[in-house]
Structures are given as structure tokens and as C-alpha cells.
């Protein structure tokens, strides 16, 4: 079978652009309206997309006085989307720094059962002292510690998902035996970060494990992804950078004994689409005009660990920025933003405009054909297995992509015309995991 694209719709409020909520078409209350997200999921399913995805953080992000900042807890939201869709995958973010493996394993196994095998977990370690202070900590744990905890967290979670064999439930009414108790086993995990007896109180789910997704691109993030991730959401600004990241991650996966094709790499793209290139650029310019530069400058200064006064709007970034090693937050995104500003000699104001659409993800304004050309070029150039589609405005941007870009990709033989399987793993062409605890008892 020829290689096919994988397309995920990254859904955020009324769009990824900083100012999307200010457009006349936008509903400023949509961030907590389940019907809004159910409509988006149905649009994405109409386009036969692999999945929809929700980011999350255990902290109020941004200034709620300037833009919609509240959001629904995503695993709860996924159950509402499962009820109104049939095939599309459902992926939610959950932090390994501010959860416990047992609760999270139960939550995602439950979503996988509720959806009939369509759940995915985006594994994040969560940067930022503001999140730490919501959980009784004075500051964010060190970057390396967060990833070490995350690795053990995933190992415990997958053991819990495997604590029931696939055939444990017998449901023999005549004999009065519902499950073979010998096939429901404790995991008895003892590690640096966690002590968990198990077993889970949910039988093994339709996919065995929900799809494992990861989004960090630092050195620690890459090694974590190579070991555990089955899909990787990444931010890459240029084709060459994307090719380097793609090759590096595939090589790391192979070095760990994994099939490189079992880790799907999906760069983010923020398409602003219209019938003509001029119309698309005008919409992009309108969104940029609606950005509050002072608010955006404060956000940028916080990322750089600077005072906003150190970032004059009409001057380039200062030379005395901290190094990546001095950043305990999102290291790879810090480097991407600095490289973008230096490479294109952008002023702070211009950089704010470039980041307003996708916070470092690649933005692109053009016609459906131009968007399809860009996707095809990266796909065939060893830069991507697919894309994380991040509409600047919702729902219109997603509708335009589904109705006008997807058909072009289908005509070119790059994307499915219908779903060929029922689970999220089916959509991504990934195997169902063998039960790890069964292997240890053979």
C-alpha cells in the first residue's frame, strides 16, 4: 500500500491565532461550550481526519482579561465527543508531573472503552512555576527530573493497562464466573517516583493501550519520544529543520530496537486559507492587526525570563538572552523562537506577529492548492508523516481545510477517502500492543 498522510486537528477555543476571538464570526464563550467542540469533531470526521487533539495545562494560562483563557478538562470533553462521532480518534493532554499513574491509567482506559478504541494520551511533563504552585510546590521540578518521572509514569501506566489479560472476562452465567481472577494481576511496582500495587479496576481496553503521543523536542524530549511515543507533535519552521528532526527521531527509535515506522511525526501547521492568495494574506493581516502588542510582549518576556522593558517593540531581540541550558521551561520552543528571530532579523513587533498564529508553529497563508502543495512537499521530502493542523480561526478554518484542502490531497492519492479501520491505532497504522505482563509469565 502506498504511504498515506496522517492528519490531526489540533482544536483550541475559537482558533489558534491570538486574536481569533475578536473576529465578528467568533463566539467568545465557545471555550467552555461542549456543542462547539462536538461540531468541530464532526467536521473533522467528515474530512476523514485521523484524530482531534486538545492541549491542556493545570494552570490558567495567559491573561483572562485579554483573551479567552478558561478551558474544559480534556479527558472529560473526549467522552462528550465520543458520543457524537463514530470513527475519528480522540487525543487529550495530561501531565505526568501533576497526576498519579493509577488515576490517569483508569481515566484513559475508560475513554478508550467509551469511544470503542479511539483514545490517545499526549504525554507532557509541564513547565512553569505557576503550575507547580497549584500543587504545593515552590517551583517547577528540574527538566531532567520531570522526564525521569515521566518515563517511570508511562511504565507504571502501561503495566496497569496490561494488568487484565484480553481474555480475563469470561461472563459465564451458568458457572457463576464473571472473570478468571488469575488473569487479573497486581503489578507490584516499586520505583524512585511511584509505589503502585494494582491491578487497575478497568479491564484491558479495546486498543490494549491508548495511543501514546508526545510533544517535546528538547534532547530529553527526543529521547523520551524515541522510547515511548507512537505519534509526535512537533514545531518546525523550515523544511531543513523538519528533515533533521525527522531523521534524528527515526534513528533514535531504531537504535532502541523499535520499528521507525511505528513513530509518526506530525509537525504543526497553521493554515490561513482563502480562494486567492491575496484574500488569505488579507485575513492573516487582519488577525495580526488585532493582536495586543503590549500583552504579547509580556508573554514573550516571560518566556525569555526578561523584563518587558528589555524588549523594545521596534528593535531586534537583545543579544544577552539566556541560553537554552538556563531555561527550565519549554527548551526546544525557546530555541525555535530565538532562531526564527535571528534568522529573519525580526523586530520584537514582527516576531510577535509571527508567533500570534501558532506560538512557534509554521504559519502559512494561501490558497487550498498552495497549502496542499506545502503538505505534499514536506511529506515527500522526509520531513513529516503527516501534519498537526492548527486552524487560525474555528470553526471556519477547519471547515475550509476539510472542504477544500482534503479533497486535493485525496485526488493526489495522499490521503484516505474513507476510514479503513475502527480504532485510532488503525488510522495511524500502528499495532495493538502485546500485553507486557503476559510476556513475563510465558
Amino acid at each position: 500500500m502506498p504511504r498515506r498522510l496522517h492528519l490531526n486537528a489540533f482544536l483550541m477555543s475559537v482558533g489558534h491565532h491570538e486574536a481569533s476571538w475578536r473576529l465578528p464570526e467568533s463566539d467568545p464563550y465557545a471555550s467552555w461550550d461542549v456543542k462547539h467542540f462536538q461540531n468541530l469533531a464532526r467536521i473533522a470526521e467528515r474530512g476523514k481526519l485521523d484524530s482531534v487533539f486538545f492541549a491542556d495545562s493545570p494552570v490558567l494560562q495567559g491573561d483572562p482579561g485579554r483573551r479567552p483563557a478558561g478551558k474544559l478538562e480534556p479527558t472529560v470533553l473526549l467522552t462528550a465527543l465520543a458520543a457524537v462521532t463514530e470513527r475519528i480518534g480522540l487525543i487529550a493532554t495530561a501531565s505526568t508531573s501533576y497526576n498519579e499513574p493509577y488515576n490517569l491509567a483508569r481515566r484513559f482506559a475508560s475513554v478508550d472503552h467509551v469511544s470503542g478504541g479511539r483514545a490517545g494520551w499526549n504525554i507532557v511533563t509541564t513547565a512553569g512555576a505557576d503550575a507547580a504552585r497549584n500543587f504545593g510546590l515552590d517551583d517547577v521540578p528540574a527538566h531532567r527530573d520531570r522526564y525521569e518521572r515521566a518515563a517511570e509514569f508511562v511504565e507504571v501506566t502501561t503495566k496497569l493497562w496490561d494488568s487484565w489479560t484480553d481474555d480475563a472476562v469470561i461472563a459465564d452465567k451458568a458457572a457463576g464466573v464473571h472473570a478468571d481472577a488469575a488473569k487479573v494481576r497486581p503489578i507490584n511496582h516499586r520505583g524512585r517516583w511511584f509505589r503502585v500495587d494494582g491491578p487497575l479496576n478497568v479491564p484491558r481496553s479495546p486498543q490494549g493501550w491508548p495511543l501514546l503521543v508526545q510533544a517535546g523536542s528538547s534532547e530529553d524530549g527526543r529521547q523520551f519520544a524515541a522510547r515511548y511515543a507512537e505519534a509526535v507533535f512537533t514545531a518546525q519552521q523550515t523544511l531543513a529543520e523538519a528533515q533533521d528532526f525527522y531523521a534524528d527521531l527515526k534513528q533514535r527509535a531504531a537504535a532502541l530496537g523499535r520499528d521507525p515506522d511505528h513513530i509518526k511525526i506530525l509537525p504543526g501547521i497553521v493554515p490561513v486559507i482563502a480562494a486567492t492568495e491575496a484574500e488569505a494574506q488579507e485575513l492573516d493581516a487582519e488577525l495580526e492587526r488585532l493582536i495586543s502588542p503590549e500583552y504579547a510582549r509580556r508573554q514573550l518576556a516571560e518566556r525569555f525570563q526578561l523584563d518587558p522593558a528589555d524588549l523594545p517593540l521596534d528593535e531586534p531581540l537583545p543579544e544577552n538572552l539566556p541560553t537554552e541550558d538556563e531555561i527550565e521551561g519549554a527548551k526546544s520552543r525557546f530555541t525555535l523562537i530565538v532562531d526564527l528571530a535571528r534568522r529573519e532579523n525580526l523586530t520584537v513587533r514582527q516576531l510577535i506577529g509571527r508567533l500570534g498564529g501558532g506560538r512557534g508553529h509554521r504559519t502559512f497563508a494561501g490558497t487550498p492548492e498552495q497549502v496542499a502543495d506545502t503538505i505534499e512537499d514536506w511529506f515527500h521530502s522526509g520531513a513529516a508523516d503527516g501534519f498537526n493542523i492548527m486552524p487560525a480561526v474555528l470553526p471556519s478554518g477547519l471547515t475550509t481545510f476539510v472542504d477544500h484542502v482534503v479533497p486535493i490531497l485525496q485526488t493526489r492519492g495522499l490521503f484516505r477517502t474513507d476510514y479503513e479501520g475502527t480504532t485510532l491505532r488503525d488510522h495511524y497504522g500502528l499495532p495493538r500492543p502485546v500485553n507486557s505482563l503476559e510476556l513475563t509469565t510465558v
Side-chain angles (χ1 to χ4, degrees):
M1 178 181 292
R3 183 167 169 256
R4 296 281 179 85
L5 278 163
H6 299 289
L7 297 176
N8 171 77
F10 182 174
L11 305 179
M12 179 179 287
S13 184
V14 290
H16 281 269
H17 198 281
E18 178 81 15
S20 59
W21 75 279
R22 298 183 65 186
L23 293 176
E25 71 179 76
S26 295
D27 176 2
Y29 302 98
S31 296
W32 45 92
D33 181 358
V34 68
K35 292 181 180 178
H36 168 70
F37 294 110
Q38 287 176 325
N39 178 50
L40 294 176
R42 285 191 290 254
I43 293 169
E45 187 168 63
R46 174 162 56 80
K48 313 303 179 185
L49 272 60
D50 295 64
S51 48
V52 296
F53 160 63
F54 295 92
D56 194 46
S57 178
V59 66
L60 182 65
Q61 294 181 307
D63 179 354
R66 304 301 307 182
R67 60 170 298 183
K71 61 179 66 174
L72 299 173
E73 200 286 322
T75 57
V76 174
L77 181 57
L78 293 190
T79 62
L81 303 190
V84 299
T85 58
E86 295 181 354
R87 305 293 279 279
I88 195 163
L90 307 167
I91 303 173
T93 294
S95 172
T96 59
S97 298
Y98 304 115
N99 280 290
E100 291 293 323
Y102 196 95
N103 286 346
L104 204 63
R106 184 188 187 199
R107 200 180 312 158
F108 276 101
S110 297
V111 175
D112 207 44
H113 278 288
V114 168
S115 65
R118 296 186 282 140
W121 171 27
N122 179 45
I123 306 161
V124 299
T125 62
T126 308
D130 46 358
R133 288 191 291 269
N134 284 340
F135 293 86
L137 302 175
D138 293 329
D139 203 352
V140 61
H143 192 269
R144 179 61 57 86
D145 284 347
R146 295 202 310 274
Y147 273 99
E148 289 179 358
R149 175 186 165 100
E152 187 177 337
F153 195 114
V154 172
E155 290 176 8
V156 176
T157 302
T158 54
K159 287 179 185 177
L160 287 167
W161 287 331
D162 286 347
S163 61
W164 293 60
T165 67
D166 287 317
D167 59 351
V169 177
I170 300 169
D172 187 336
K173 294 182 180 180
V177 178
H178 186 264
D180 183 343
K183 295 182 178 181
V184 182
R185 303 150 302 183
I187 66 168
N188 295 322
H189 177 87
R190 299 294 182 269
R192 175 188 173 190
W193 301 97
F194 304 108
R195 291 167 51 91
V196 181
D197 286 352
L200 197 63
N201 58 353
V202 180
R204 201 163 194 251
S205 71
Q207 293 188 106
W209 305 351
L211 186 77
L212 299 180
V213 184
Q214 192 264 357
S217 298
S218 65
E219 176 61 28
D220 289 334
R222 291 184 190 213
Q223 199 60 24
F224 183 90
R227 182 172 296 279
Y228 300 108
E230 296 168 300
V232 175
F233 297 154
T234 180
Q236 305 294 335
Q237 281 287 327
T238 70
L239 176 62
E241 290 170 344
Q243 289 169 324
D244 288 346
F245 179 85
Y246 185 94
D248 178 60
L249 212 52
K250 298 282 186 174
Q251 290 166 4
R252 289 176 189 242
L256 291 168
R258 295 184 61 193
D259 183 341
D261 193 45
H262 290 173
I263 179 170
K264 308 297 184 181
I265 299 174
L266 285 75
I269 184 172
V270 186
V272 178
I273 310 166
T276 68
E277 186 175 355
E279 290 172 343
Q281 290 176 347
E282 174 52 33
L283 175 56
D284 193 38
E286 179 184 4
L287 287 164
E288 187 170 336
R289 286 193 294 268
L290 293 173
I291 293 175
S292 169
E294 287 301 329
Y295 168 60
R297 182 169 70 159
R298 288 198 302 273
Q299 289 184 305
L300 196 61
E302 182 178 350
R303 182 180 290 278
F304 290 157
Q305 300 176 0
L306 298 175
D307 187 290
D310 295 330
L311 295 175
L313 284 170
D314 295 308
E315 295 181 15
L317 289 180
E319 293 298 325
N320 60 335
L321 293 176
T323 66
E324 182 177 295
D325 289 341
E326 295 172 310
I327 296 291
E328 278 297 342
K331 290 178 179 287
S332 59
R333 192 60 55 88
F334 167 86
T335 300
L336 181 149
I337 291 171
V338 174
D339 287 349
L340 169 64
R342 304 283 196 226
R343 182 174 60 247
E344 301 189 17
N345 195 31
L346 301 175
T347 66
V348 170
R349 190 187 302 275
Q350 291 169 329
L351 179 61
I352 284 169
R354 292 290 297 275
L355 298 178
R359 304 168 306 284
H361 289 275
R362 187 166 182 261
T363 58
F364 184 88
T367 66
E369 290 79 8
Q370 289 172 321
V371 174
D373 288 345
T374 295
I375 289 173
E376 182 173 10
D377 183 31
W378 281 43
F379 180 62
H380 284 320
S381 299
D385 294 307
F387 285 86
N388 201 16
I389 306 303
M390 304 167 59
V393 182
L394 289 168
S396 61
L398 181 61
T399 299
T400 301
F401 185 86
V402 163
D403 290 346
H404 298 285
V405 179
V406 167
I408 296 172
L409 298 173
Q410 291 171 330
T411 299
R412 296 179 184 181
L414 296 171
F415 191 62
R416 68 174 66 87
T417 56
D418 202 356
Y419 292 110
E420 297 168 358
T422 60
T423 71
L424 179 53
R425 289 180 174 278
D426 290 337
H427 304 340
Y428 279 92
L430 295 169
R432 188 175 188 273
V434 174
N435 190 308
S436 60
L437 293 186
E438 287 186 53
L439 291 175
T440 62
T441 58
V442 171

